[in-house]
Amino acid sequence: MHRLFSQIDISFRGIHADDDTVTVEERMRATLPGGRPYDNDYCFVFVVSGDRISQVREYRTHGKGGR
């Protein structure tokens, strides 16, 4: 099976909640096939409805990932 990432390290920079919305900031570092480094920042926005996640939006830094 092909794996896109190896040696994955995820660090959480912040978790923020306001009413039904939760924002998670994280940084992911890993190794790509061929040994190239991957380093990217992400922001996830979760909208909660009752006891379920009703919506997820993902944002990341473009062009920073696999240089």
Side-chain angles (χ1 to χ4, degrees), residues 2-62:
H2 174 73
R3 292 179 8 167
L4 181 59
F5 299 108
S6 63
Q7 300 176 345
I8 298 170
D9 176 43
I10 296 175
S11 58
F12 293 94
R13 296 181 165 193
I15 299 174
H16 313 278
D18 184 28
D19 291 327
D20 63 349
T21 304
V22 178
T23 304
V24 177
E25 299 173 90
E26 72 169 49
R27 180 178 191 180
M28 178 179 166
R29 295 181 193 173
T31 302
L32 293 167
R36 292 183 311 154
Y38 180 89
D39 184 359
N40 219 338
D41 296 310
Y42 291 87
C43 179
F44 295 94
V45 180
F46 299 91
V47 178
V48 179
S49 179
D51 62 349
R52 296 183 179 261
I53 296 171
S54 62
Q55 187 180 90
V56 178
R57 294 188 305 273
E58 174 185 342
Y59 304 93
R60 67 176 180 85
T61 52
H62 293 284

